[in-house]
């Protein structure tokens, strides 16, 4: 085979491998996000221990990308009237023939995971109340025979809070074991976007920013919905965490300048694409989003070499810009002092 044809073949193979890697990574992220939502959406309410009556049915879902987020029960604080009743009914019919027996579901979701699910309910409640959390309060939710496993349970619950809602749990007092919440972004109304009841939307924003990053900093609307559909999040179908997703990502987050939503040039019929908005650039970075995605996949950012190199370059540029701003600010301050001295 001539050298030119060999070179073209190698280039085509590398491109195909890169595309496959991106799709595989996004699929893994969508599956992980779905699993976290499913595992954290039990019917227990904050303040209730995890003891179950013998023979009680489990409302948990299997760890499978084929199971829908919309079919899980709502976390505490979500009004059933606002849940996706239509989607739940449709998905229930679709999956009724393939659902596993209750015993199989229970066996796949161990006691620690169930307890962590209850703890997530409590943490969401405290987050919305804007109150700090103490270890003593959390231990009251845990059966005494599992309290020695508290560190692991808290780790699971914290991971779910971060992956679902984009909210970190930070210890602020190591003597009283007091924790507070830190959101990854500064979305209004504590991340719920709109006033009133609701759950933080920061998590879905982080995932969308990640898809945009992986797609060369510009993702088509088809790319975004392909990813969200793997999480069983659909346009026009109200979701118990994210509300009406299409309105959220094409209107609310665009109006808040976290996303840019524009028509693809020369597209007929019109097609649209997403980019990072100015507030996303201001409140987070490519490295922070990559760290988030790496955590979803239980790995480190450097495992994603090409994106990691891009993120490092972005960090360097941000540092240089920050340095220049500091120098200009210092210079301006010095000049102001000098003028004041001359006037004096």
């Amino acid at each position: 085979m001539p050298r030119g044809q060999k070179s073209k073949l190698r280039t085509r193979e590398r491109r195909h491998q890169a595309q496959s890697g991106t799709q595989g990574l996004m699929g893994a992220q969508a599956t992980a996000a779905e699993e976290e939502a499913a595992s954290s959406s039990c019917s227990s309410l904050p303040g209730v221990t995890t003891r179950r009556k013998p023979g009680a049915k489990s409302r948990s879902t299997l760890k499978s990308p084929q199971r829908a987020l919309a079919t899980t029960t709502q976390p505490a604080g979500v009004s059933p009237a606002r849940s996706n009743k239509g989607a739940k009914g449709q998905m229930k019919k679709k999956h009724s023939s393939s659902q596993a027996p209750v015993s199989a579901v229970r066996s796949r979701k161990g006691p620690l995971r169930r307890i962590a699910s209850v703890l997530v309910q409590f943490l969401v409640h405290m987050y919305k109340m804007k109150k700090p959390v103490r270890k003593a309060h959390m231990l009251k939710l845990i059966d005494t025979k599992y309290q020695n496993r508290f560190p692991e349970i808290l780790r699971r619950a914290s991971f779910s809070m971060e992956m679902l809602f984009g909210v970190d749990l930070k210890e602020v007092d190591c003597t009283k074991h007091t924790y507070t919440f830190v959101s990854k972004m500064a979305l209004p109304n504590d991340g719920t976007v709109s006033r009133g009841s609701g759950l933080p939307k920061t998590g879905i924003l982080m995932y969308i920013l990640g898809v945009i990053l992986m797609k060369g900093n510009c993702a088509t609307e088809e790319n975004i919905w392909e990813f969200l559909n793997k999480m069983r999040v659909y346009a026009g179908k109200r979701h118990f965490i994210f509300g009406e997703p299409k309105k959220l990502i094409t209107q609310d987050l665009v109006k808040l300048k976290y996303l840019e939503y524009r028509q693809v040039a020369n597209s007929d019929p019109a097609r649209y694409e997403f980019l990072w908005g100015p507030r996303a650039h201001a409140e987070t970075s490519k490295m922070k989003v990559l760290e988030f995605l790496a955590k979803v996949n239980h790995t480190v950012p450097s495992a994603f070499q090409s994106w990691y190199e891009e993120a490092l370059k972005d960090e360097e540029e941000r540092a240089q810009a920050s340095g220049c701003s500091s120098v200009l600010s210092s210079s301006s301050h010095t000049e102001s002092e000098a003028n004041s001295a001359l006037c004096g």
Side-chain angles (χ1 to χ4, degrees), residues 35-328:
E35 290 172 358
E36 286 305 318
S39 67
S40 301
S41 303
C42 62
S43 56
S44 303
L45 295 174
V48 180
T49 62
T50 58
R51 293 188 181 92
R52 292 176 179 268
K53 294 180 180 180
K57 292 185 178 180
S58 171
R59 299 291 296 276
S60 309
T61 56
L62 288 172
K63 292 177 61 178
S64 167
Q66 279 69 42
R67 294 305 304 273
L69 282 176
T71 60
T72 60
T73 43
Q74 289 75 26
V78 179
S79 171
R82 295 188 178 187
S83 65
N84 184 9
K85 292 182 179 179
K88 285 174 71 177
Q90 183 179 357
M91 296 305 295
K92 185 176 181 180
K93 290 179 181 179
K94 184 176 180 181
H95 293 287
S96 59
S97 61
S98 61
Q99 287 187 359
V102 173
S103 58
V105 174
R106 188 180 292 117
S107 65
R108 291 288 291 274
K109 183 175 179 179
L112 294 187
R113 193 166 183 179
R114 288 197 298 268
I115 297 169
S117 296
V118 175
L119 189 54
V120 169
Q121 310 289 317
F122 173 71
L123 293 175
V124 170
H125 174 72
M126 297 300 284
Y127 174 79
K128 293 177 69 176
M129 295 291 289
K130 299 182 181 180
K131 292 183 177 181
V133 182
R134 295 185 63 180
K135 179 180 177 180
H137 298 150
M138 292 186 276
L139 285 173
K140 291 179 181 179
L141 302 173
I142 302 174
D143 194 304
T144 53
K145 68 179 180 179
Y146 293 114
Q147 288 187 1
N148 63 330
R149 307 289 294 278
F150 176 76
E152 182 180 354
I153 294 168
L154 181 61
R155 179 185 58 78
R156 288 170 179 260
S158 299
F159 183 78
S160 293
M161 288 291 292
E162 184 178 0
M163 296 300 103
L164 286 177
F165 307 117
V167 174
D168 293 315
L169 189 66
K170 302 288 186 182
E171 188 173 21
V172 292
D173 188 334
C174 59
T175 56
K176 295 182 179 179
H177 298 290
T178 305
Y179 300 81
T180 191
F181 302 98
V182 180
S183 180
K184 292 183 180 296
M185 308 281 279
L187 269 68
N189 300 302
D190 298 313
T192 62
V193 177
S194 57
R195 292 181 180 179
S197 61
L199 295 168
K201 311 298 191 296
T202 309
I204 193 172
L205 175 58
M206 292 294 288
Y207 285 114
I208 291 172
L209 295 177
V211 175
I212 295 171
L213 173 61
M214 283 186 245
K215 290 295 183 179
N217 301 308
C218 181
T220 65
E221 188 167 10
E222 292 84 353
N223 294 149
I224 298 297
W225 286 114
E226 180 184 1
F227 176 83
L228 293 178
N229 288 171
K230 290 176 181 177
M231 292 172 60
R232 298 298 188 236
V233 176
Y234 301 99
K237 294 184 178 180
R238 177 167 287 276
H239 189 272
F240 70 87
I241 296 177
F242 309 129
E244 205 297 284
K246 188 173 179 65
K247 178 180 180 296
L248 176 65
I249 69 174
T250 63
Q251 296 181 37
D252 298 340
L253 295 177
V254 172
K255 186 177 180 181
L256 291 169
K257 300 187 182 300
Y258 283 103
L259 295 175
E260 183 180 344
Y261 182 62
R262 69 187 187 188
Q263 184 176 340
V264 176
N266 304 318
S267 60
D268 186 19
R271 294 172 56 245
Y272 294 86
E273 59 190 7
F274 287 90
L275 296 86
W276 284 31
R279 285 190 69 174
H281 284 288
E283 294 180 18
T284 191
S285 66
K286 293 180 180 180
M287 185 60 77
K288 289 179 180 178
V289 170
L290 192 60
E291 288 171 349
F292 176 81
L293 300 181
K295 194 167 186 178
V296 174
N297 288 275
H298 304 284
T299 186
V300 293
S302 57
F304 313 126
Q305 187 175 358
S306 59
W307 296 301
Y308 183 67
E309 291 172 356
E310 181 181 346
L312 282 176
K313 184 178 179 181
D314 180 65
E315 290 293 298
E316 292 174 0
E317 292 173 353
R318 285 171 175 266
Q320 290 174 0
S322 178
C324 290
S325 298
S326 298
V327 170
L328 289 173

